Each structure stands twice: as C-alpha cells, then as structure tokens.
C-alpha cells in the first residue's frame, strides 16, 4: 500500500493480513473482513475468533479475513518507545498544579518519542488512509463489493468506507457505533458518562447480591468512592503491583467492557484493593494496555494514541484543560481521567484529518446494519442511533444488554439477523430489537 496516497508510486507499506477461516468451496459468497476497533487494535487474530463464534450459516459462506491496519500490529506499527509506564504512573485527572504539569510533560515526552521513532509514518495513519487500504484489500481478495464486520472504532472505518466508496458496499455490519458528528468535547464526555452509567449498573447488581465480594451491606457505591480517593492520595502496591489512580480507572473500565459477565471479577478486584491488595486490578490494567511481564508495552497503546491524533479534531492545551474541568463535573467517575489520556494530541505536530465534527453519509450505498447495545459502556446506544440516521442507508438493530458490542455474544435473535443480512442481504425492518439471550450450544 502507498505510504502517501497522493504519491501512490512512492514508498510502500505492507499490511499484515490473515484468513482465519475458509468458506465451503461449493457455497462461498466471498470474504467477510473484520476489524476489532481501537483505534490501533491489531485485527489478524480476530478472524479466527470470529469464525469460531459466528453461526455456521455465515462461516460456511464466507472466508473470514482480518488485518492489522497501518500503524498497528505487524503493519508498520507506530513506535513511541516500549516503556510507557510514565503515562500511567501519575494522575490523568490532576488535582494539583504539579500533577497537571507532570501530565503535560509526559504528553510531550510521548509525542517526541513517536516523532523521533516513526517520522513521516505519523502523517499517513489516519482512518482515511486505512479506508483506502481496505478498498485495496477488498479488491486483492477478489471481491467486487465489500462485506464487513466492524466493532467500536471499526464502525468509523466502515462508515467512512461507505461514504468514500458507496458503490463498493455489499453488506456492512457496524456494531457499537462511533458518532462522527459529535465534537471532540462531546465525544469524550459522553463516553465517560457511558462508563459511569455502566459502573452504576455494576453497583446495582452488587447491592442486590449478598454474595457479591464488594457488597458492603448493600451500598457498594458508598465504599467505592472513599477507595478511589485513597488511591488518588496514595497509590497502592509497589513495582509490578503498584496501582495509580489512572491505572485503577482503566482497570475498572476494562472490566466494564464485558458487562455483567465480568461483574464478579470486578467485585473481587475491588474487595482485594479494599484489603490492601492491588495485584488483581493491576493485572487487568496490564492486559488492557498491552504491558508485558518484562514491563515493555506492545504497539497497541502507541497506535491508539497516534491514530486518534492523526484523525483529530485536536484541541489546544488550554481547551483540554477547560474540557477536563467540565468533564469532571458532567462525568464524575471517569470524565477527567478520560480527557487526560488524550493530552498527547494537543502537542501533535502534524495536521489532523478532521478539524471539527464530520458527519458521514452514504445514502446511495446498499443498506448498512448498525447494531447498538442499550447499556454499552464505551459507545453509548445514542451513537448507534445517530450513525444509522446519518448514513441515510443505515438500519438500526437494538440489543438489550450491558456489553460493549453484541455480535459475538451468541444472541440467537441477533445471530439470525446477521445471517439473513450477510448471506441473503435481507435487511431487518426499522425498530428491530433483540433481548440479548444466548443461543443454545
């Protein structure tokens, strides 16, 4: 793939692609290309997993293909150093001038490291570049039109693809949609509010169960808030078990992605922390950010930040500080910390792809399926509603649940909708919904 599509015959990049499953040769329709989101998440390994959980009525008809988008995984990954502890050891929701100074200094340090190690690659890793790669991948696989399943940020890839290449769309499933019409400020605040609502769902679940490890006489919220304040004042643990306030937020958020399935694990981690043991939640944090046992990070977090900054819109440092104050009020559990994770983009030296909200529409494309989960912590359901409307060709399916995305959860109702849509291009009627019940196995 061209590094710079404006100079298509110049420097080329290689993309890492994997076919995780082959269709029945006598029944094959084409390839189903999958993307896990991120941004920056490597997608090759997803193909095999998707093939293992989707109904055979789908996998018999499609090769399942995943790829590492440019700048991630094994596709010319962004390099910003392998020791990123400094980004998380402090507090991304600073309470003092000294903490804010540290946060901004660490953001500059990260950007300087990216620029020195990755150079001009950073100017060519936006989603728009990835979408052009995706169209070339489609053609290389021999498919006249694209069949695609994208999750979370992967919905942004899919929506932009439909906007740029509407005649190349066969069937797109966009699960856990990002709303590109939102401002940078609203996006980060609404996401933090989504995690806050998911945390409340956990507290309600825990309060009703005396077996919940963080039950606290039916009021886990009352126990959680002083625990958070104590970590903010004095991080727990040492070395590989040290847990800072930023690491605590990310560990809790990581467990909320899986909804009720991980509530018991979250309760155990909070109980352990309440008793002075930080190792459980520190392990969750390490897994979430790609920190290995040696203390070295994989490419995922650097790619996540770099692609986010390449996409934009990026705020000035003054705008970030004002947003952080606002987010702390409007989304008290996660808002200020969520803003703090993105300070690097205020120092990004390259012009972003977007300078403001950019709604995406594809009214002439074949119908596009947008799947929204009512209690999704990371991509609120309202975003799926908005994207389905923006596209002009979108059709929304709602799923009652608490997880981030739903298409791989074994829901019998949703599996049937996906099968009819992907195989037969049978589009569900407006207002279609599923209750989140698993199919029999």
């Amino acid at each position: 793939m061209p590094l710079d599509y404006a100079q298509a015959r110049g420097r080329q990049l290689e993309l890492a692609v994997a076919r995780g499953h082959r269709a029945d040769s006598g029944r094959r329709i084409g390839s189903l290309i999958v993307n896990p989101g991120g941004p920056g998440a490597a997608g090759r390994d997803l193909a095999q997993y998707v093939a293992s959980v989707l109904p055979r009525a789908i996998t018999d008809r499609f090769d399942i293909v995943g790829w590492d988008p440019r700048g991630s995984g094994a596709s010319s990954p962004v390099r910003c150093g392998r020791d990123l502890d400094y980004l998380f050891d402090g507090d991304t929701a600073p309470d003092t001038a000294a903490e804010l100074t540290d946060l901004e200094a660490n953001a500059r340090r990260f950007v300087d490291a990216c620029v020195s190690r990755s150079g001009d690659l950073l100017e060519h890793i936006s989603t728009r570049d990835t979408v052009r790669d995706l169209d070339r991948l489609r053609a290389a696989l021999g498919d006249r039109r694209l069949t695609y399943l994208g999750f979370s940020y992967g919905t942004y890839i899919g929506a932009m693809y439909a906007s740029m290449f509407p005649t190349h769309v066969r069937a797109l499933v966009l699960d856990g949609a990002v709303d590109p019409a939102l401002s940078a400020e609203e996006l980060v605040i609404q996401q933090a509010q989504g995690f806050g609502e998911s945390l409340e769902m956990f507290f309600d679940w825990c309060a009703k169960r005396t077996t919940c490890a963080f039950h606290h006489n039916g009021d886990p919220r009352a126990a959680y808030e002083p625990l958070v304040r104590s970590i903010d004042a004095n991080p727990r643990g040492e070395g590989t078990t040290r847990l800072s306030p930023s690491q605590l937020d990310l560990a809790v958020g990581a467990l909320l992605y899986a909804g009720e399935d991980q509530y018991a694990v979250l309760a155990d981690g909070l109980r352990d922390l309440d008793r002075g043991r930080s190792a459980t939640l520190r392990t969750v944090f390490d897994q979430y950010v790609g920190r290995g046992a040696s203390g070295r990070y994989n490419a995922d977090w650097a790619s996540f930040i770099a692609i986010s900054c390449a996409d934009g819109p990026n705020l000035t440092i003054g705008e970030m500080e004002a947003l952080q104050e606002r987010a702390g009020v409007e989304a008290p559990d996660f808002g200020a910390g969520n803003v703090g994770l993105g300070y690097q983009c205020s120092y990004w030296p390259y012009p972003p792809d977007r300078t403001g909200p950019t709604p995406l529409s594809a009214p002439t494309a074949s119908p596009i399926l947008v799947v929204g989960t009512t209690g999704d912590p990371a991509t609120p359901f309202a975003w799926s509603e908005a994207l389905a409307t923006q596209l002009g060709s979108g059709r929304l399916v709602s799923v009652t649940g608490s997880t981030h995305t739903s298409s791989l959860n074994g829901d019998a109702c949703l599996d049937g909708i996906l099968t009819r849509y992907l195989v037969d291009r049978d589009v569900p009627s407006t207002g279609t919904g599923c209750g989140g019940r698993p199919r029999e196995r």
Side-chain angles (χ1 to χ4, degrees):
M1 305 293 176
L3 169 69
D4 182 354
Y5 274 93
Q7 302 179 39
R9 295 187 179 181
R11 177 183 164 191
Q12 303 292 303
L13 302 177
E14 291 187 356
L15 295 187
V17 181
R19 182 183 284 111
H21 169 83
R22 289 184 181 273
D24 183 324
S25 59
R27 308 180 65 208
R28 183 180 182 275
I29 293 173
S31 299
L32 172 61
I33 303 179
V34 298
N35 178 272
R44 287 177 301 157
D45 293 342
L46 179 66
Q48 187 170 6
Y49 176 70
V50 167
S52 72
V53 295
L54 283 181
R56 283 195 59 184
I58 296 174
T59 58
D60 281 352
R61 308 301 298 276
F62 293 96
D63 296 347
I64 311 298
V65 176
W67 91 107
D68 296 348
R70 60 169 59 204
S72 71
S75 296
S76 300
V78 171
R79 303 190 186 281
C80 304
R82 299 291 299 276
D83 177 8
L84 301 180
D85 284 347
Y86 64 92
L87 290 176
F88 310 103
D89 283 346
D91 191 349
T92 54
D95 304 306
T96 67
E99 287 180 345
L100 178 59
T101 297
D102 286 345
L103 176 61
E104 294 174 354
N106 288 335
R108 290 194 299 270
R109 174 182 171 183
F110 176 85
V111 172
D112 289 346
C114 295
V115 171
S116 67
R117 290 171 168 84
S118 291
D120 59 357
L121 172 67
L122 301 178
E123 297 184 77
H124 305 289
I125 55 171
S126 72
T127 300
R128 194 172 303 277
D129 295 307
T130 288
V131 165
R132 292 189 175 103
D133 292 346
L134 177 57
D135 194 54
R136 289 197 170 199
L137 175 58
R138 170 202 58 78
L141 292 169
D143 292 340
R144 187 171 64 88
R145 294 194 290 171
L146 177 69
T147 305
Y148 173 83
L149 172 58
F151 299 92
S152 195
Y153 159 80
T155 68
Y156 184 49
I157 295 174
M160 186 176 287
Y161 184 94
S163 179
M164 292 174 63
F165 302 105
T167 61
H168 295 182
V169 171
R170 178 186 175 275
L172 309 184
V173 177
L174 310 181
D175 188 349
V178 175
D179 181 1
L182 289 175
S183 68
E185 293 91 339
E186 288 301 324
L187 193 76
V188 72
I189 287 177
Q190 289 185 24
Q191 182 177 68
Q193 289 172 333
F195 276 107
E197 291 168 5
S198 184
L199 183 62
E200 287 298 333
M201 292 170 65
F202 161 73
F203 289 142
D204 289 344
W205 175 91
C206 189
K208 295 173 183 176
R209 291 164 172 80
T210 57
T211 55
C212 175
F214 200 66
H215 184 256
H216 280 276
N217 297 316
D219 196 355
R221 161 64 85 176
Y224 179 77
E225 291 179 353
L227 182 60
V228 170
R229 288 194 296 268
S230 72
I231 299 298
D232 185 39
N234 185 25
R236 300 278 174 85
E238 299 291 339
T240 58
T241 66
R242 184 180 186 276
L243 195 72
S244 71
S246 302
Q247 292 164 337
L248 173 60
D249 276 0
L250 285 168
V252 171
L255 292 171
L256 291 175
Y257 271 91
E260 190 170 333
D261 286 349
Q262 290 292 305
Y263 284 175
V265 177
L266 176 55
D268 287 346
L270 292 174
R271 175 205 57 202
D272 290 349
L273 189 61
D274 209 16
R275 295 176 178 177
R277 299 193 297 268
S278 55
T280 301
L281 290 177
R282 175 55 194 262
T283 297
V284 172
F285 162 81
D286 285 349
Q287 293 171 345
Y288 180 69
V289 299
R291 186 185 191 276
S294 67
R296 294 169 70 81
Y297 288 69
N298 64 22
D300 288 2
W301 192 266
S303 299
F304 165 67
I305 296 296
I307 295 170
S308 298
C309 298
D311 276 349
N314 298 333
L315 304 179
T316 67
I317 196 65
E319 290 169 335
M320 287 292 282
E321 291 176 5
L323 174 59
Q324 193 157 50
E325 184 175 351
R326 176 187 164 195
V329 174
E330 296 186 22
D333 288 308
F334 297 101
N338 203 29
V339 173
L341 291 171
Y343 262 68
Q344 294 87 348
C345 294
S346 296
Y347 299 103
W348 206 247
Y350 308 104
D353 183 61
R354 301 186 304 159
T355 57
T358 310
L360 293 173
S361 64
T364 62
S366 296
I368 296 168
L369 201 64
V370 180
V371 179
T373 305
T374 57
D376 190 317
T379 52
F381 180 72
W383 293 3
S384 292
E385 292 180 302
L387 182 63
T389 300
Q390 280 172 49
L391 286 170
S393 51
R395 192 67 59 83
L396 178 67
V397 173
S398 64
V399 180
T400 301
S402 57
T403 59
H404 178 42
T405 75
S406 290
S407 292
L408 304 181
N409 291 353
D411 180 293
C413 167
L414 184 57
D415 280 351
I417 291 170
L418 295 180
T419 299
R420 292 187 292 273
Y421 173 70
L422 290 172
V423 174
D424 303 317
R425 287 184 286 178
D426 181 4
V427 183
S429 60
T430 300
T432 298
C434 293
R437 292 184 298 274
R439 67 174 180 262
E440 295 295 327
R441 294 186 180 275

